[in-house]
Amino acid sequence: MTDAVKTLKEWTDAAHKIVFFGGAGVSTESGIPDFRSTGGLYHQEWSYPPETILSHTFYKSNPEEFFRFYRAKMLCPEAKPNAAHKKLAQWEQEGRLLAVVTQNIDGLHQAAGSRNVYELHGSVHRNHCERCGKFYSLDHILHTTGVPRCACGGIIKPDVVLYEEALNEQVMDGAVQAIAAADMLIIGGTSLNVWPAAGLINYFRGEHLVLINKSAVARDLTADLVITDPIGEVLDQL
């Protein structure tokens, strides 16, 4: 255990209101590809740039290509929670973690046992008919081809926030309140590229701000502790 991890352990052992703010790097250790890292989705060839395919405009104008990409690149049903997900769930059960705020859409925090999770960008596990509102599971989507349609004829849209779409206000409000109430904020597995999500950390007024990320972040951040090792490996030592 490095000196930095020892310090992190001391801080987490003493904290009573931890909030974790996480991104794609939390899920890469579960085998889910990162959008922006080398080898991630943004570096793989496709008919259109991923930013274009994952936009509301493209979804509406070319749903066939959207769902072909979505099934191939966004759904990882075999992925399992890793050490980071499990440690965070443990802290919540012990009453020391207030919430997880995540940019991920894979549902792995809930699979590990976390209950108070603010999913800023939605979840692949929730899908609704745009016409009648009927709910459909991820398993249903996996067993469809082409554009998935409800019995009423409407398109079944994933509850995933696309480019050009607004974040859910209730989720944002909950995340802001949790971060504002935290005595310790751990930012892990995110380079803080995506706004407005990255701006949420401005609401933190607690004692310790910790950054755990393998690469540099996209904004100025005065962290009390910076660790550049994989998030799962770090949290597994605590």
Side-chain angles (χ1 to χ4, degrees):
M1 186 182 292
T2 65
D3 288 342
V5 176
K6 288 179 182 177
T7 297
L8 179 60
K9 179 170 173 50
E10 291 174 5
W11 290 355
T12 55
D13 285 348
H16 299 287
K17 297 179 180 179
I18 301 170
V19 169
F20 180 81
F21 181 96
V26 179
S27 295
T28 53
E29 291 172 69
S30 292
I32 295 178
D34 182 1
F35 273 85
R36 293 173 176 82
S37 64
T38 301
L41 297 184
Y42 279 50
H43 294 265
Q44 297 178 20
E45 291 187 11
W46 204 260
S47 302
Y48 304 87
E51 298 97 327
T52 299
I53 299 175
L54 296 175
S55 69
H56 182 81
T57 297
F58 191 92
Y59 166 76
K60 286 296 188 181
S61 63
N62 197 343
E64 294 84 2
E65 187 73 354
F66 170 87
F67 278 104
R68 188 168 75 88
F69 180 91
Y70 180 75
R71 288 192 184 89
K73 299 297 184 182
M74 306 299 289
L75 301 182
C76 302
E78 303 303 319
K80 303 296 182 185
N82 61 52
H85 299 104
K86 294 174 183 177
K87 179 59 68 174
L88 294 169
Q90 175 191 326
W91 285 346
E92 182 181 348
Q93 290 161 8
E94 292 171 353
R96 296 193 292 121
L97 183 136
L98 290 178
V100 169
V101 180
T102 181
Q103 299 174 77
N104 299 331
I105 59 175
D106 49 51
L108 290 181
H109 285 292
Q110 290 92 331
S114 290
R115 293 294 173 261
N116 197 23
V117 181
Y118 294 101
E119 296 174 304
L120 300 177
H121 298 152
S123 172
V124 299
H125 293 276
R126 297 187 298 269
N127 306 270
H128 294 88
C129 171
E130 291 191 301
R131 181 178 295 175
C132 73
K134 182 178 179 180
F135 172 86
Y136 288 90
S137 67
L138 170 60
D139 186 65
H140 178 88
I141 301 300
L142 290 169
H143 287 85
T144 60
T145 58
V147 178
R149 291 192 176 274
C150 177
C152 77
I155 295 177
I156 302 170
K157 185 181 185 295
D159 179 24
V160 172
V161 179
L162 304 177
Y163 289 101
E164 305 167 348
E165 294 180 346
L167 302 188
N168 182 285
E169 288 188 14
Q170 287 185 316
V171 173
M172 286 287 284
D173 288 346
V176 166
Q177 291 178 27
I179 291 172
D183 58 8
M184 181 176 187
L185 176 63
I186 302 175
I187 301 169
T190 175
S191 55
L192 299 176
N193 273 302
V194 179
W195 289 80
L200 290 177
I201 63 176
N202 295 334
Y203 292 93
F204 177 65
R205 295 292 183 270
E207 186 175 0
H208 295 303
L209 176 60
V210 178
L211 174 63
I212 307 173
N213 198 53
K214 293 192 290 184
S215 59
V217 296
R219 54 167 293 185
D220 291 333
L221 187 68
T222 305
D224 300 302
L225 184 65
V226 178
I227 300 175
T228 56
D229 295 319
I231 182 73
E233 292 181 13
V234 173
L235 296 193
D236 196 35
Q237 299 177 63
L238 304 180

